[in-house]
């Protein structure tokens, strides 16, 4: 099977700081892959390089047949980045909803302005996705009247309404109160069951163990393990992975 995401020999520098070191990984269609690691290990940077919110210093990113060389410039390069972004939906830690727009307005903004979709079609897709995350009844509300969990569910509906091939989640529950985490994870589980390819940076080990097909472990910018969840949590190969899992079990980060 042809990978839907292919990361090859990826390096990322911030100045002299070498944040990602020769990362190569393939993601298959419909796979759910969780990325774990200590804070500062490069997880979020890897995710942001995949859709070029951060420009890779070296290496290549390929998403659904669109291949982009890191560190290039020019009009063609910018067009390829645009094409990759159309194929990737991104959910951030902090929701990033437009406060002056209703829930429905937030969800249709991307399809209408970025993809040029007919407004009525965009509304139909948005309402379907809001219904899927359990928030159709909030479509006319504004973000300041939503809980954190509801805001993140709207953000997921917004990303899905762009009809991406791959969903990228960057610690989507880290800004939520503990009692709201479950509602977001349940929506993510539903999205996974519906066959969406997902890359998830997370501290939620229960989610990784239950939902992920594979778990990637990053340490100091290096990919140190790539395993099935049961294998990883039962018998990690790298001592840094074992130390990481032990820290999660004691509630550390």
């Amino acid at each position: 099977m042809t990978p839907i995401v292919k990361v090859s020999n990826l390096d990322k520098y911030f100045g002299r700081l070498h944040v990602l070191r020769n990362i190569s990984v393939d993601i298959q269609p419909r796979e759910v892959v969780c990325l774990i690691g200590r804070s500062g290990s490069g997880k979020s940077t890897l995710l942001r390089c995949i859709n070029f919110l951060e420009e890779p210093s070296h290496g290549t990113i390929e998403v659904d047949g669109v291949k982009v060389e890191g560190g290039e410039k020019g009009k063609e390069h910018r067009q390829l980045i645009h094409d990759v972004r159309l194929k990737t939906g991104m959910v951030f830690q902090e929701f990033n909803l437009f406060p002056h727009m209703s829930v429905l307005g937030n969800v249709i903004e991307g399809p209408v302005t970025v993809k040029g979709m007919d407004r009525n079609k965009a509304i139909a897709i948005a309402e379907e996705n809001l219904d899927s995350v359990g928030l159709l009844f909030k479509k006319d509300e504004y973000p300041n009247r939503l809980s954190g969990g509801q805001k993140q569910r709207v953000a997921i509906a917004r990303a899905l309404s762009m009809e991406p091939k791959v969903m990228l989640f960057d610690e989507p529950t880290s800004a939520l109160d503990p009692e709201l985490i479950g509602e977001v994870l349940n929506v993510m589980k539903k999205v996974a069951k519906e066959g969406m390819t997902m890359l998830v940076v997370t501290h939620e080990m229960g989610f990784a163990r239950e939902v992920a097909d594979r778990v990637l472990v990053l340490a100091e910018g290096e990919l140190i393990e790539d395993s099935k969840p049961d294998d990883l949590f039962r018998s990690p190969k790298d001592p840094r992975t074992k130390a990481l899992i032990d820290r999660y079990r004691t509630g550390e980060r």
Side-chain angles (χ1 to χ4, degrees):
M1 187 181 296
T2 302
I4 194 166
V5 177
K6 188 176 184 67
V7 179
S8 303
N9 308 116
L10 177 66
D11 284 277
K12 175 61 182 175
Y13 289 86
F14 290 110
R16 297 176 63 184
L17 185 62
H18 199 175
V19 179
L20 295 175
R21 300 169 179 267
N22 197 34
I23 302 287
S24 293
V25 65
D26 292 350
I27 311 296
Q28 300 298 328
R30 304 174 70 91
E31 256 195 321
V32 178
V33 177
C34 285
L35 287 74
I36 67 172
R38 296 197 72 175
S39 295
S41 62
K43 308 182 302 296
S44 293
T45 302
L46 174 56
L47 215 63
R48 291 170 67 86
C49 282
I50 288 172
N51 74 344
F52 287 84
L53 290 175
E54 299 289 352
E55 177 77 39
S57 302
H58 305 290
T60 61
I61 304 287
E62 186 172 345
V63 179
D64 193 35
V66 179
K67 186 174 182 179
V68 191
E69 296 283 346
E72 302 265 322
K73 297 189 184 301
K75 184 176 180 180
E76 183 179 351
H77 183 66
R78 290 193 298 271
Q79 181 61 50
L80 289 171
I81 289 173
H82 176 74
D83 293 345
V84 163
R85 287 177 176 163
L86 287 178
K87 294 174 180 289
T88 55
M90 185 88 175
V91 178
F92 301 90
Q93 297 179 34
E94 294 289 346
F95 327 130
N96 293 349
L97 300 180
F98 295 115
H100 63 290
M101 291 183 177
S102 68
V103 163
L104 184 63
N106 267 277
V107 178
I108 68 171
E109 177 69 10
V112 171
T113 62
V114 177
K115 296 182 73 175
M117 188 181 291
D118 173 77
R119 183 179 175 85
N120 288 332
K121 180 180 178 182
I123 288 172
I125 291 171
E127 289 182 342
E128 181 180 344
N129 284 312
L130 285 169
D131 188 43
S132 180
V133 303
L135 288 175
L136 181 58
F137 73 106
K138 293 283 190 180
K139 70 176 184 177
D140 296 321
E141 296 280 10
Y142 284 78
N144 66 352
R145 295 180 60 85
L146 303 179
S147 70
Q150 289 172 335
K151 289 176 184 176
Q152 195 61 294
R153 286 153 61 195
V154 171
I156 293 171
R158 176 180 61 183
L160 289 171
S161 292
M162 289 293 287
E163 301 179 310
K165 296 297 183 72
V166 180
M167 285 281 285
L168 309 175
F169 294 84
D170 187 7
E171 298 192 31
T173 61
S174 66
L176 300 179
D177 293 332
E179 64 271 18
L180 300 177
I181 290 173
E183 68 182 70
V184 173
L185 293 180
N186 285 338
V187 168
M188 292 171 63
K189 290 174 187 177
K190 182 179 180 182
V191 173
K193 286 180 181 177
E194 290 170 352
M196 177 62 69
T197 307
M198 296 168 53
L199 279 75
V200 185
V201 173
T202 187
H203 291 297
E204 301 296 331
M205 294 300 101
F207 175 86
R209 191 160 198 166
E210 178 185 351
V211 180
D213 298 297
R214 288 157 57 206
V215 179
L216 310 182
V217 185
L218 270 67
E220 299 175 331
E222 295 182 341
L223 179 59
I224 62 171
E225 278 201 61
D226 179 349
S227 301
K228 292 185 179 298
D230 286 346
D231 295 338
L232 183 91
F233 289 106
R234 185 175 58 248
S235 53
K237 300 181 180 71
D238 193 294
R240 290 171 290 180
T241 304
K242 184 179 186 306
L244 175 70
I245 292 170
D246 289 344
R247 276 193 293 273
Y248 280 126
R249 285 172 178 156
T250 59
E252 296 181 50
R253 290 289 185 268

